[in-house]
Amino acid sequence: MAKRENYNDLYLFMLVVREGSFTAAAKRLGLAQSGISRSVRELEDRLGIRLLVRTTRKLSLTHAGEQLYRTVESGFDALDMGLATLAHYRQTPSGLVRINASQHAIDKVLLPKLAVFKQRYPDIRLELISESRFVDIITERFDAGVRLGPEVGSGMIAVRISPDMEMAVVGAPEHFRRYGFPHTPEDLVVHPCIAYQFGDGSLYDWELHQEGKKITHRPQGQWAFADSYMEAKAARLGLGLAYVPEELVSDDLESGTLIRVLQRYSQRLEGSFLYYPHRNVSPALRAVIDALRI
């Protein structure tokens, strides 16, 4: 197929597809857009096939372009992985590790445990990206993700990185002065409750325990957030009851800015798990896994 000297054009083609436009690819590489466009055109001429359909609004791939993109991407990925594994022969692992996790997991688990990398692995670059939705870590080019519980997709390995987590129903003193204290989960219906919203728009139904059975409460109120920290902040402002990890509000409970209720009904959730594809674990990712596992 392409001669060796054309691999640069293949890489530019892959980058244009991945970035979604010639402009974005040019910006990413710091090159002129016209040069990248010309390289891709020359690649099409050499191969004798159309790879991209260019319109004023967007780029789309032809069937042949899609096939080539998959081939080129896996080839360059394998090359990147091969180069990364050369770190085995150095004193310390190096390279980039991208992890997708909630703000809560980054703050309470990842950052405290990985802070030692500053001294121990100065050549490893860590990108800890917080999102409130479940992402496809392979498609979105993360090395690993964090989620509660060990259930992950096929072809993934899950490693526990934190103990079980206790949830807590909390509210500000002002809230209880106005609405009184709930004594059973049924009492929650008269309380404005702050909701946690998943990336797909659905709300988390509070999972509670009553007489050995799991029950749920659909939070009704004015506020929804995609982040547990913001739920806790809203509760501090007296905007309603929040159901958040206890460790997130332990200082508030101690100082009295938040009060915990319904403790005997609260749920313990399985802790956080790091998950990643079972194949091609780079030395840098291996160092991260070893530092996080409990």
Side-chain angles (χ1 to χ4, degrees):
M1 196 189 73
K3 296 175 188 172
R4 272 181 200 280
E5 65 266 26
N6 298 334
Y7 285 175
N8 194 43
D9 292 349
L10 289 169
Y11 183 77
L12 292 177
F13 163 70
M14 180 185 76
L15 211 61
V16 167
V17 176
R18 193 177 282 167
E19 295 294 321
S21 71
F22 286 94
T23 309
K27 193 174 174 186
R28 177 84 181 261
L29 292 172
L31 298 174
Q33 181 187 326
S34 56
I36 294 179
S37 187
R38 187 172 60 251
S39 293
V40 173
R41 260 200 317 274
E42 286 171 359
L43 176 64
E44 289 178 316
D45 291 342
R46 280 199 306 276
L47 296 174
I49 46 177
R50 191 85 174 276
L51 300 171
L52 292 168
V53 179
R54 302 161 180 80
T55 66
T56 49
R57 289 183 163 227
K58 62 169 192 168
L59 282 179
S60 55
L61 285 166
T62 63
H63 286 307
E66 211 168 302
Q67 175 67 49
L68 181 64
Y69 175 71
R70 280 202 297 268
T71 304
V72 169
E73 187 182 44
S74 66
F76 276 110
D77 280 355
L79 186 58
D80 286 345
M81 191 58 71
L83 292 171
T85 55
L86 291 176
H88 273 308
Y89 300 100
R90 297 179 49 187
Q91 287 292 304
T92 57
S94 67
L96 172 66
V97 177
R98 298 187 76 229
I99 302 176
N100 180 270
S102 68
Q103 192 66 38
H104 173 216
I106 291 172
D107 183 29
K108 297 297 183 185
V109 185
L110 301 184
L111 210 46
K113 289 188 172 187
L114 297 176
V116 296
F117 275 41
K118 184 180 178 213
Q119 279 83 30
R120 196 181 295 168
Y121 301 115
D123 294 335
I124 293 178
R125 178 177 154 80
L126 297 162
E127 290 185 2
L128 310 180
I129 308 300
S130 166
E131 292 182 65
S132 61
R133 63 196 177 97
F134 286 130
V135 304
D136 181 331
I137 60 169
I138 294 175
T139 303
E140 303 202 21
R141 310 195 67 72
F142 287 98
D143 297 291
V146 175
R147 67 171 54 172
L148 289 171
E151 289 301 312
V152 294
S154 61
M156 294 279 173
I157 293 174
V159 173
R160 182 187 274 271
I161 60 173
S162 76
D164 287 354
M165 186 173 74
E166 188 169 343
M167 298 292 285
V169 180
V170 296
E174 173 200 327
H175 174 93
F176 297 113
R177 277 196 293 273
R178 182 169 178 188
Y179 294 96
F181 286 93
H183 298 289
T184 68
E186 287 79 11
D187 297 339
L188 288 171
V189 294
V190 298
H191 288 260
C193 292
I194 298 156
Y196 180 91
Q197 188 176 67
F198 295 110
D200 63 4
S202 63
L203 299 181
Y204 168 64
D205 285 342
W206 294 7
E207 297 169 295
L208 301 156
H209 278 291
Q210 189 168 31
E211 294 165 5
K213 286 189 297 192
K214 189 171 111 171
I215 58 168
T216 58
H217 171 67
R218 168 58 61 99
Q220 300 293 332
Q222 200 174 359
W223 305 89
F225 298 94
D227 184 288
S228 300
Y229 282 85
M230 295 312 298
E231 287 183 274
K233 183 162 188 176
R236 275 184 222 111
L237 293 170
L239 303 181
L241 297 180
Y243 193 39
V244 294
E246 190 272 338
E247 63 183 7
L248 219 65
V249 291
S250 53
D251 290 346
D252 296 286
L253 297 177
E254 207 170 301
S255 66
T257 51
L258 288 174
I259 297 167
R260 183 175 184 181
V261 293
L262 302 177
Q263 182 165 353
R264 57 183 286 225
Y265 301 101
S266 292
Q267 163 100 318
R268 281 185 79 80
L269 299 176
E270 283 190 277
S272 295
F273 286 73
L274 184 81
Y275 66 101
Y276 54 92
H278 64 80
R279 56 188 166 70
N280 298 336
V281 176
S282 70
L285 179 56
R286 176 56 60 200
V288 168
I289 295 164
D290 290 343
L292 292 176
R293 71 164 74 242
I294 61 170

